[in-house]
């Protein structure tokens, strides 16, 4: 499984949408992630990938593709 697929599996725990319908290019709020849910998602991502995402990077995450790109570059 690749990072995108693993991330989509995690995201489905936080939104009510089938993974096949999740658009990774739209803003996080448009897929149902408010700031509180996004922080919970980030915690789940850190736990799943056994990594720490610096707070300074969080403001750069506008879409799921941004998160995927960050993970691909840092893992």
């Amino acid at each position: 499984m690749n990072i995108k697929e693993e991330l989509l599996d995690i995201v489905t725990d936080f939104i009510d949408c089938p993974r096949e319908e999740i658009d990774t290019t739209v803003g996080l709020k448009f897929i149902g992630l408010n700031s509180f849910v996004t922080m919970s998602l980030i915690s789940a991502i850190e736990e799943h990938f056994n990594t720490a995402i610096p707070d300074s990077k969080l403001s750069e995450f506008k879409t799921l593709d941004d998160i995927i790109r960050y993970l691909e570059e840092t893992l």
Side-chain angles (χ1 to χ4, degrees), residues 58-71:
L58 298 179
S59 64
E60 297 176 17
F61 298 155
K62 306 295 184 211
T63 67
L64 290 175
D65 276 347
D66 294 335
I67 298 171
I68 293 166
R69 192 170 18 266
Y70 171 81
L71 292 170

Side-chain angles (χ1 to χ4, degrees), residues 14 33-46 55 58:
F14 291 88
L33 295 173
N34 62 32
S35 58
F36 177 75
V37 176
T38 298
M39 292 309 298
S40 298
L41 172 64
I42 294 298
S43 293
I45 291 168
E46 289 175 324
D55 290 342
L58 298 179

